[in-house]
């Protein structure tokens, strides 16, 4: 008998309530298949960051289910949670690099989950990891930058390092939280193009929060619209018309235009 | 007239009746309360001055001795007690270095525990309490306590300086940890790193220059303190200084003070250079 392979990531009825706060997620359902690029759009405060933070346990969901490669990942803790996180690369806004470390150290920090404490503290990473870092650095267009301190890079360069760091983990899934915030439109587009290409080359699935609808339209296979912690849109980029945008962002915002 | 710079005319008055005067609102709203507070403050100052008993005959008596002391500074005597001074300085330097290194190392875990963004509540309160305790008492009092406990000598001095260093560095480093950016730390957590790895990669680079800078700063404070606590029996150059005073050997005392001043200036200068390099 042939059964369809389970989606890489399957989220059902995901709920999240911050201590002493409102519900940031109220029953979110979502699937990401192997190799798929899914964007999440929504106004500030809609729950986009909370959604992807729940997936790798940076915040603890208060209800629902979340499976990676068929395995329940909510409720993991300690060593199990760390092993899970190695499978999930995360790309943050550009300021999430460690400023005072070199580009090479930032890249190698992607291997921390695979490296013992003393080896990592003394910067004695396995030769394979070092070679992979040099290769990735060249691939993201930063060959020769390995000894540069991260705070001496431009916004676009920093985000390339952020992408390379996540890929150093050799993850199955990439979680991306507003990678282009604080970048100019041209740089943002280049960073997204690079991200999209690298995801294809490595056969990675991507779940990306994007605040820019234009970017979400041009780079995604599928778009999820989130509003007040609920999925209010779900479809292909072409299906995201003005009416759908009105639902996601509130009609007020578009009635003016 | 040129558009920028030289035009000193006031802004044209807008039409309509806008207020033309504005004052910053006072911190205390009620004028009566303000006056009472000011009157109370002045009254207390006058009262306090009247309470300092100035004993004129005693002042006149002490004047020649004070002059003797000042005169000794013109010819400080480095030689009669040269050996004692050298041993005292060496002991103080050793006390200072050992105490600063031990204190800095101990203050790190304490500072982490006292940082609200890392420590759970109970740990946070415990560590803050320890730090507060270390900062409450002046070094001289702590020194007297440890001299009573461990007897005269540099051991009591070292322990005193360690306690003071922990209080000082613990508080300042905890505040640096609280002020550091959480984004890189969260990024390290997301890689599957263990807590020690997260600290080494995400936190330490953010605070290391300040840790080193503050430790160097504490190093020259500790040297000065070692001279003071020596007077109550905690070893070092302070003990030598105390002896010379007891024997009215003002020229030797002056020599010791000159040595202390020179060393403090040197360490301050050196630590200033190093700190500037670090940042
Ligand atoms: N650490 C937190 N503690 C309490 N409430 C939070 C926290 N982080 C986010 N929230 C709340 O959860 C909701 C969703 O926030 P977030 O996921 O950051 O939205 P988005 O990323 O779409 O802007 C908001 O109402 C926000 O105020
Ligand atoms: Mg967000």
């Amino acid at each position: 008998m042939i059964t369809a392979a389970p989606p890489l990531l399957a989220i059902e009825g995901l709920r999240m309530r911050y201590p002493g706060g409102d519900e940031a997620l109220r029953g979110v359902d979502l699937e990401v298949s192997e190799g798929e690029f899914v964007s999440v759009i929504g106004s500030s405060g809609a729950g986009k960051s909370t959604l992807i933070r729940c997936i790798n346990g940076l915040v603890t969901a208060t209800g629902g289910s979340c499976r990676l490669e068929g395995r329940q990942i909510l409720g993991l803790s300690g060593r199990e949670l760390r092993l899970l996180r190695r499978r999930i690369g995360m790309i943050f806004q550009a300021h999430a690099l460690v400023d005072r470390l070199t580009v090479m150290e930032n890249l190698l920090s992607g291997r921390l989950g695979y490296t013992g404490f003393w080896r990592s503290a003394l910067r004695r990473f396995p030769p394979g990891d070092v070679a992979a870092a040099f290769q990735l650095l060249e691939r993201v267009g930063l060959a020769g930058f390995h000894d540069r301190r991260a705070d001496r890079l431009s916004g676009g360069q920093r985000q390339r390092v952020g992408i390379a760091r996540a890929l150093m983990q050799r993850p199955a899934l990439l979680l991306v939280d507003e990678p282009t915030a604080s970048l100019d439109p041209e740089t943002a587009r280049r960073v997204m193009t690079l991200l999209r290409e690298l995801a294809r080359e490595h056969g990675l699935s991507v779940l990306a929060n994007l605040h820019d609808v234009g970017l979400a339209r041009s780079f995604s296979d599928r778009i999820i619209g989130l509003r007040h912690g609920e999925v209010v849109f779900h479809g292909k980029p072409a299906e995201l018309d003005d009416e759908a945008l009105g639902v996601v962002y509130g009609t007020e915002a578009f009635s003016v235009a | 007239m040129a558009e920028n710079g030289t035009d000193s005319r006031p802004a044209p008055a807008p039409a309509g009746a806008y207020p033309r005067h504005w004052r910053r609102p006072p911190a205390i709203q009620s004028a009566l309360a303000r006056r009472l507070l000011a009157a109370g403050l002045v009254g207390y100052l006058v009262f306090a001055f009247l309470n300092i008993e100035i004993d004129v005959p005693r002042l006149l008596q002490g004047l020649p001795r004070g002059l003797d002391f000042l005169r000794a500074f013109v010819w400080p005597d480095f030689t009669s007690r040269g050996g004692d001074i050298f041993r005292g300085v060496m002991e103080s330097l050793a006390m200072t270095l050992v105490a600063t290194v031990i204190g800095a190392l101990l203050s790190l875990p304490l500072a982490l525990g006292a940082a609200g963004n890392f420590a759970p509540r109970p740990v946070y309160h415990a560590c803050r309490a320890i730090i507060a305790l270390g900062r409450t008492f002046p070094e001289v009092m702590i020194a007297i306590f440890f001299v009573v406990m461990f007897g005269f000598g540099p051991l009591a001095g070292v322990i005193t300086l360690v306690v003071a260093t922990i209080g000082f560095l613990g508080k300042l480093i905890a505040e640096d940890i609280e002020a550091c950016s959480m984004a890189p730390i969260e990024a390290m957590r997301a890689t599957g790193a263990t807590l020690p790895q997260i600290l080494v990669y995400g936190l330490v680079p953010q605070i290391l220059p300040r840790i080193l800078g503050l430790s160097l700063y504490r190093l020259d404070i500790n040297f000065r303190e070692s001279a003071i606590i020596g007077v109550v029996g905690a070893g070092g150059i302070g003990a030598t200084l105390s002896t010379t005073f007891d024997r009215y050997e003002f020229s030797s005392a002056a020599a010791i003070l000159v040595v202390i001043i020179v060393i403090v200036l040197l360490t301050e200068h050196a630590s200033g250079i190093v700190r500037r390099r670090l940042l």
Side-chain angles (χ1 to χ4, degrees):
Chain A
M1 202 176 85
I2 305 163
T3 48
L8 182 80
L9 180 74
I11 295 175
E12 277 167 42
L14 190 67
R15 294 187 165 273
M16 171 67 203
R17 182 191 290 279
Y18 285 100
D22 289 337
E23 264 202 313
L25 298 176
R26 317 166 185 227
V28 170
D29 297 320
L30 164 70
E31 282 185 359
V32 181
S33 312
E34 204 89 39
E36 202 181 16
F37 195 118
V38 179
S39 295
V40 181
I41 58 169
S43 338
S44 175
K48 306 182 296 294
S49 299
T50 305
L51 172 63
I52 64 170
R53 267 146 218 268
C54 282
I55 295 169
N56 65 359
L58 286 179
V59 299
T60 310
T62 43
S65 140
C66 178
R67 290 168 189 281
L68 183 76
E69 296 165 322
R71 181 157 165 259
Q72 180 61 249
I73 60 180
L74 293 190
L76 293 185
S77 63
R79 184 178 158 73
E80 282 184 320
L81 180 58
R82 277 188 281 110
L83 293 185
L84 166 82
R85 282 175 179 159
R86 305 197 307 197
R87 304 278 301 143
I88 304 177
M90 190 150 172
I91 299 169
F92 300 80
Q93 293 183 12
H95 60 249
L97 294 188
V98 187
D99 276 336
R100 286 210 176 86
L101 295 186
T102 60
V103 166
M104 183 50 90
E105 285 169 304
N106 271 286
L107 250 66
L108 288 171
S109 71
R111 299 301 295 170
L112 286 178
Y114 298 87
T115 315
F117 175 75
W118 288 111
R119 287 201 98 163
S120 59
L122 300 172
R123 278 44 170 182
R124 296 277 181 274
F125 286 84
D129 290 352
V130 177
F134 275 112
Q135 187 186 9
L136 264 172
L137 211 52
E138 185 181 53
R139 175 62 188 84
V140 300
L142 290 175
F145 280 71
H146 47 275
D147 284 337
R148 180 83 67 100
R149 256 171 62 150
D151 54 7
R152 303 205 31 234
L153 297 175
S154 72
Q157 291 170 334
R158 288 172 68 88
Q159 202 48 293
R160 285 159 191 273
V161 173
I163 292 171
R165 173 175 70 187
L167 289 174
M168 283 295 290
Q169 286 177 235
R170 283 182 219 116
L173 172 69
L174 275 182
L175 299 176
V176 191
D177 195 2
E178 307 213 353
T180 60
S182 78
L183 298 185
D184 64 86
E186 173 60 24
T187 309
R189 201 150 266 279
R190 287 221 203 110
V191 164
M192 287 301 296
T193 307
L194 178 70
L195 180 60
R196 171 94 241 209
E197 287 172 5
L198 281 167
R200 285 227 177 94
E201 287 166 24
H202 291 76
L204 288 176
S205 307
V206 181
L207 183 64
N209 294 340
L210 293 173
H211 66 294
D212 182 329
V213 175
L215 289 181
R217 273 210 181 95
S218 21
F219 290 97
S220 325
D221 299 318
R222 228 156 19 95
I223 297 177
I224 308 276
L226 214 55
R227 181 171 168 80
H228 299 319
E230 284 173 290
V231 175
V232 294
F233 173 82
H234 185 179
K236 299 231 172 294
E239 295 169 282
L240 188 67
D241 51 21
D242 282 357
E243 196 193 323
L245 282 175
V247 173
V248 174
Y249 288 97
T251 32
E252 323 80 55
F254 290 87
S255 57
V256 190
Chain B
M1 198 172 266
E3 289 253 327
N4 42 2
T6 50
D7 193 346
S8 60
R9 283 170 301 175
Y18 293 100
R20 299 183 59 84
H21 292 282
W22 176 86
R23 287 271 173 282
R24 195 176 178 283
I28 300 168
Q29 283 298 327
S30 146
L32 182 68
R34 267 199 320 268
R35 294 212 180 105
L36 281 178
L37 202 68
L41 218 59
V42 171
Y44 177 74
L45 271 178
V46 171
F47 174 79
F49 262 109
L50 295 178
N51 255 282
I52 304 171
E53 286 168 19
I54 301 176
D55 180 350
V56 177
R58 171 67 186 81
L59 273 184
L60 290 178
Q61 223 177 36
L63 218 54
R65 218 179 289 159
L67 285 179
D68 270 354
F69 183 54
L70 283 184
R71 213 170 295 131
F73 260 92
V74 183
W75 289 285
D77 174 4
F78 291 92
T79 45
S80 343
R81 294 212 164 262
D84 291 334
I85 295 175
F86 181 76
R87 274 187 295 279
V89 166
M90 283 301 141
E91 192 167 274
S92 267
L93 283 176
M95 281 167 58
T96 303
L97 198 67
V98 170
T100 308
V101 169
I102 295 177
L105 290 179
L106 291 179
S107 72
L108 293 182
L110 204 62
L112 190 66
N117 50 348
F118 277 90
R121 282 294 108 173
V123 176
Y124 171 82
H125 288 298
C127 291
R128 285 275 161 175
I130 295 174
I131 289 174
L133 210 64
R135 291 167 56 82
T136 306
F137 304 102
E139 277 85 340
V140 179
M141 278 180 66
I142 304 177
I144 293 172
F145 174 74
F146 284 121
V147 166
V148 170
M149 209 155 129
F150 298 111
F152 290 100
L155 177 64
V158 167
I159 297 176
T160 302
L161 294 179
V162 166
V163 170
T165 303
I166 289 176
F168 177 87
L169 290 180
K171 181 174 165 71
L172 293 176
I173 295 172
E175 256 136 50
D176 281 336
I177 295 177
E178 285 179 344
C180 77
S181 162
M182 290 308 280
I185 290 163
E186 202 164 47
M188 293 300 102
R189 183 171 294 144
T191 65
T194 58
L195 181 63
Q197 288 178 316
I198 294 170
L199 296 178
V200 167
Y201 271 76
L203 179 66
V204 170
Q206 293 194 55
I207 57 172
L208 190 60
R210 281 272 296 172
I211 292 178
L212 295 178
L214 288 171
S215 302
L216 280 172
Y217 179 44
R218 187 66 215 185
L219 191 74
D220 56 63
I221 298 179
N222 277 349
F223 183 77
R224 253 173 292 164
E225 290 298 337
S226 83
I228 295 167
I229 62 178
V231 175
V232 300
I237 187 71
T240 323
L241 184 65
S242 173
T243 312
T244 57
F245 269 120
D246 288 346
R247 298 180 185 169
Y248 294 103
E249 294 172 7
F250 289 144
S251 301
S252 293
I256 293 174
L257 288 177
V258 168
V259 168
I260 292 176
I261 291 168
V262 168
I263 292 180
V264 167
L265 284 179
L266 283 178
T267 50
E268 211 168 88
H269 186 65
S271 74
I273 291 176
V274 176
R275 266 182 287 154
R276 241 166 288 133
R277 285 274 164 82
L278 288 175
L279 269 149

